[in-house]
Amino acid sequence: DDIPNKTIRVGENIAGKVAADLNPILSNNLAEVEGLFGEHGMAMNSIVCVPILYKGRLLGTLAIFDRLEIISGEIQPFDESDVGLITAVASQVALALENSRLFEEARKLSEEKEIRIKGLSLLMEITNIMRSTLDLEEILYIILTSVTMGEGLGFNRACLFLADDAGKYLTGKMAVGPRTAA
């Protein structure tokens, strides 16, 4: 079954119409409704489909099919109380989706902040080391090796070209790192 990978346009089929109108759809006769899942050959009689909204922003839709009577196992028609219940479930889904998005965003920001802190710490170390010498070759070597060393800024190779006095040519001055990418 390829439902998890199915893509539909907003406005198409039941889920797409709910997404377009932001209004729930309840049908107890799917045979009469242009359905979302009919092409998959699933035997379904009824549906409640509701929008998943967070602060008025559409995140998706939630479709529930065929309410079964617990004791008999017989299919029961949906009613407006089912729409309310499923809308409440969709609200919880929206909160979970938004929390997940916010957590991922915070995790990425934390990683970026950690990388920036590492970079700034490394720059401070380079600055402190550079104060120990006035030899240009040694300073350039310190800089290039610092940005390419294991836990440095994560770069594999570095090379430095210096401009001539007229600013018309660049001449390779120094390069560090392995000869191959591996």
Side-chain angles (χ1 to χ4, degrees):
D1 191 88
D2 65 346
I3 299 289
N5 297 315
K6 177 135 180 92
T7 300
I8 60 169
R9 284 191 167 95
V10 170
E12 278 184 2
N13 299 324
I14 293 173
K17 287 176 185 171
V18 168
D21 300 338
L22 301 180
N23 291 316
I25 290 179
L26 179 155
S27 175
N28 285 308
N29 187 359
L30 278 179
E32 294 177 358
V33 178
E34 183 184 329
L36 170 62
F37 298 105
E39 67 272 16
H40 296 283
M42 293 182 209
M44 292 177 283
N45 299 306
S46 56
I47 185 174
V48 172
C49 186
V50 300
I52 300 171
L53 301 169
Y54 182 77
K55 293 185 177 181
R57 183 172 52 96
L58 177 72
L59 300 181
T61 63
L62 174 62
I64 305 294
F65 300 89
D66 294 340
R67 182 165 63 90
L68 299 178
E69 212 288 316
I70 294 173
I71 296 172
S72 70
E74 292 181 18
I75 295 174
Q76 300 294 310
F78 285 119
D79 60 30
E80 287 304 316
S81 68
D82 294 315
V83 174
L85 177 62
I86 295 165
T87 299
V89 170
S91 294
Q92 295 303 306
V93 170
L95 287 173
L97 290 169
E98 184 63 12
N99 285 341
S100 175
R101 184 190 69 77
L102 290 172
F103 177 78
E104 185 61 25
E105 190 176 286
R107 186 186 63 75
K108 285 180 183 176
L109 287 174
S110 176
E111 286 176 1
E112 289 171 8
K113 186 177 180 181
E114 187 177 319
I115 289 169
R116 277 183 282 184
I117 289 170
K118 273 183 158 179
L120 290 172
S121 296
L122 180 61
L123 288 174
M124 192 170 80
E125 275 185 56
I126 292 170
T127 302
N128 289 335
I129 293 170
M130 287 181 355
R131 286 189 199 144
S132 67
T133 182
L134 295 175
D135 180 37
L136 178 63
E137 294 282 325
E138 196 172 337
I139 291 172
L140 296 177
Y141 182 77
I142 289 168
I143 293 169
L144 294 182
T145 55
S146 295
V147 299
T148 58
M149 66 185 184
E151 289 295 317
L153 297 177
F155 302 119
N156 189 32
R157 299 181 191 106
C159 61
L160 179 71
F161 290 85
L162 296 179
D164 67 352
D165 290 337
K168 292 187 177 192
Y169 298 98
L170 296 173
T171 303
K173 182 69 176 171
M174 185 178 292
V176 296
R179 293 196 182 275
T180 62

